[in-house]
Amino acid sequence: MSARSRVPVSMIKSELVQRIAEHNPHLYQRDVENIVNAILDEIVAALARGDRVELRGFGAFSVKHRPARAGRNPRTGAHVPVDQKSVPFFKTGKEMRERLNRGNGTSEAGA
């Protein structure tokens, strides 16, 4: 079975912490967990301030603002107001896209 034909599996934060700890045996797992939490907390705090977070080669996190609008209840068809909201947005970096598309037989010339 090739790697491309396997069923997608998600990784949760505790599994990420465990993998990083395995690759860095000189660090305690609790320290790795604190580092991962600190990074994620800083990204969230920056987005909450309205900042953009760019991790070169990986991607950029930003916030998109969606205006208030009139929605529709799919069950009853009644119109309902939908408040404005801010949603997180992630755009992959060029290096990540190239690594993900390397060797899959597609041409990147038209991308």
Side-chain angles (χ1 to χ4, degrees):
M1 177 186 267
S2 75
R4 302 239 184 263
S5 63
R6 62 188 180 118
V7 177
V9 177
S10 62
M11 178 187 290
I12 60 174
K13 186 167 64 169
S14 62
E15 292 169 339
L16 174 64
V17 168
Q18 184 177 0
R19 280 199 176 166
I20 293 171
E22 287 171 0
H23 291 303
N24 296 279
H26 59 286
L27 297 174
Y28 292 112
Q29 185 164 339
R30 71 176 181 270
D31 293 336
V32 173
E33 185 174 0
N34 289 337
I35 292 166
V36 169
N37 285 333
I39 291 169
L40 296 177
D41 289 345
E42 283 302 315
I43 291 172
V44 171
L47 293 175
R49 288 190 307 268
D51 296 342
R52 180 176 183 267
V53 178
E54 182 176 338
L55 304 172
R56 295 280 169 138
F58 183 73
F61 297 90
S62 60
V63 176
K64 294 215 176 208
H65 301 283
R66 299 209 174 135
R69 62 184 175 84
R72 190 177 67 84
N73 182 329
R75 185 172 289 173
T76 65
H79 290 278
V80 293
V82 177
D83 294 336
Q84 68 178 9
K85 59 185 165 185
S86 299
V87 294
F89 179 76
F90 177 75
K91 181 178 180 185
T92 58
K94 180 180 177 184
E95 184 179 326
M96 179 190 285
R97 280 193 306 274
E98 288 173 353
R99 287 180 67 182
L100 290 174
N101 290 307
R102 192 177 303 148
N104 66 1
T106 61
S107 171
E108 294 184 30

